[in-house]
Amino acid sequence: GSARQAAAPGKVYSAGQVAANLLGQAVSLEQQGLREEARQTVLRLLSTDPADVPARLMLARLLVDAQRGDEARSVLQEGLRLAPDASALAVALARQRADGGDLAGAIATLQGLRPGAKEQPGQRALLAALLLRAQRFDEAVTQYRIALRQEPEQPQWLVGLGVSLEGLGRGAEAVEAYRLATRAPDLNPDTAQFLSDRLGQLRR
């Protein structure tokens, strides 16, 4: 009778467990290269819980992989409408918009997050990098400084800060930022070369 008991319909899964199981299935399908099946599984999960953030992120990624960037952006936008504090969705949408050439839209997405949203320093640094690309140097400096308060050793952020300061004609402060960046333990050769060039120029 143990087999009968095992099959008894007494086991009730919580919504959270069902969601986790479906997401696990989708990940496993994707790893096997079954992307379309993975997408269908995630869609099933979102039909029961449209505000599930990990599921939305995964669906957007699958759509991007399938070169369906516009659909990915719609999926992320809808998610942010349902979960306005989900900074992971905002970051993914901002990256998508920037990749699609909509720099202003990408910046607005990150700036639109409510102050209460859980914030990662990487989110600030991404906003700073987008502002830098838009040549909004003053705002970029502000955002890089906020990110660096939490993680002062990040070489890429220090480089971004330096470039933004140079854009404002503040060479001495840029030198300071670049000098700090050169001390990072895991500098890649390209960044090291860039820093060496900039410091050489600015110290003339």
Side-chain angles (χ1 to χ4, degrees), residues 22-185:
L22 278 172
L23 198 60
Q25 268 177 353
V27 169
S28 160
L29 286 164
E30 187 192 12
Q31 284 166 348
Q32 295 166 52
L34 302 169
R35 289 218 170 94
E36 185 50 36
E37 290 85 341
R39 198 172 66 79
Q40 293 302 333
T41 305
V42 179
L43 282 169
R44 229 170 72 218
L45 167 47
L46 285 170
S47 70
T48 58
D49 181 7
D52 188 301
V53 171
R56 275 207 184 261
L57 288 169
M58 181 168 184
L59 178 56
R61 198 183 72 242
L62 288 165
L63 288 166
V64 169
D65 288 347
Q67 319 274 279
R68 291 158 69 177
D70 287 349
E71 287 175 70
R73 284 189 279 282
S74 299
V75 162
L76 293 166
Q77 271 170 295
E78 173 68 4
L80 264 179
R81 204 176 57 69
L82 295 166
D85 288 345
S87 55
L89 290 174
V91 166
L93 179 57
R95 287 189 193 283
Q96 273 308 302
R97 285 183 159 158
D99 289 347
D102 178 13
L103 205 49
I107 290 166
T109 300
L110 289 175
Q111 287 178 329
L113 269 174
R114 297 197 302 218
K118 174 122 184 60
E119 188 180 281
Q120 311 296 332
Q123 187 185 310
R124 282 276 177 189
L126 174 61
L127 175 55
L130 294 170
L131 288 163
L132 174 55
R133 266 171 65 185
Q135 300 199 336
R136 289 161 64 175
F137 301 121
D138 215 359
E139 294 167 84
V141 166
T142 302
Q143 297 301 329
Y144 274 124
R145 287 204 194 283
I146 293 170
L148 284 160
R149 258 181 240 148
Q150 290 177 271
E151 291 186 28
E153 318 263 284
Q154 283 281 356
Q156 291 306 331
W157 303 355
L158 287 162
V159 168
L161 175 60
V163 173
S164 307
L165 287 162
E166 275 199 73
L168 292 169
R170 287 154 63 178
E173 289 173 75
V175 165
E176 188 52 36
Y178 292 147
R179 282 218 349 264
L180 285 169
T182 60
R183 294 185 200 148

Side-chain angles (χ1 to χ4, degrees), residues 6-13 17:
K11 185 142 182 56
V12 177
Y13 289 99
Q17 285 169 316

Side-chain angles (χ1 to χ4, degrees), residues 155-156 159 181-182 186-199:
Q156 291 306 331
V159 168
T182 60
D186 46 2
L187 265 190
N188 69 48
D190 289 345
T191 306
Q193 184 60 57
F194 173 84
L195 288 167
S196 160
D197 293 347
R198 292 318 304 142
L199 286 166

